[in-house]
Amino acid sequence: MSKKTKLPEKIHGVAHIFAAASYSWAGAKRLWGETAFRHETLAAFLILVIFTLIRADKSFVILAILLILITFAIEALNTAIEEIADMVSPEWSLPAKHAKDLGSLAVLCMLCANGIFAAFVILITFNWI
């Protein structure tokens, strides 16, 4: 016979904010373990440096930061999908492969959006278009 395990009590108030922040910090540390995320972080930093050097309009910089944050969020979701797929299907399976491929496609779309936007800002800033 198995004993019922008691669920932890739900955290309320200010303590909930600190708990949520600690979960987010743990997620960020996990995501930093992904080589792709570290590459994306480097690319984001380079884009922002380039925008600063060419004195891109502030609205472009803000939009770039938003795109970068969305890319990081999509990468985090992709990593979560991969973790769950590996746990649910430790052996190779077509549905797990499809889930991972679709997550990777979402990241690729965001990387393309960042690249297209960066190219657009550079071309506009130098009046090349």
Side-chain angles (χ1 to χ4, degrees), residues 7 17 52 60 66 68 82 86-87 96 116 127-128:
L7 295 175
I17 294 170
T52 301
F60 289 149
L66 289 174
I68 289 164
E82 290 175 352
D86 289 344
M87 181 186 72
I116 291 167
N127 292 318
W128 291 343

Side-chain angles (χ1 to χ4, degrees), residues 16-37:
H16 176 73
I17 294 170
F18 288 110
S22 72
Y23 305 145
S24 296
W25 180 250
K29 288 194 312 189
R30 168 60 186 92
L31 196 56
W32 188 253
E34 294 289 318
T35 302
F37 178 71

Side-chain angles (χ1 to χ4, degrees), residues 70-124:
I70 293 168
T71 302
F72 290 170
I74 298 294
E75 181 63 48
L77 292 172
N78 180 46
T79 300
I81 289 168
E82 290 175 352
E83 292 271 345
I84 292 169
D86 289 344
M87 181 186 72
V88 172
S89 182
E91 302 295 322
W92 186 91
S93 74
L94 189 58
K97 179 188 181 316
H98 287 167
K100 290 180 173 190
D101 290 349
L102 289 167
S104 294
L105 174 62
V107 173
L108 176 64
C109 289
M110 283 308 304
L111 294 175
C112 289
N114 278 274
I116 291 167
F117 182 70
F120 171 76
V121 170
I122 291 167
L123 293 173
I124 286 288

Side-chain angles (χ1 to χ4, degrees), residues 4-5 11 14 27 40-41 43 48 54 59 63 65-66 68 85 88 91 101 104 112 115:
K4 272 193 164 184
T5 58
I11 301 171
V14 176
E40 291 158 4
T41 302
L48 295 175
I54 67 171
S59 62
L63 286 171
I65 290 169
L66 289 174
I68 289 164
V88 172
E91 302 295 322
D101 290 349
S104 294
C112 289

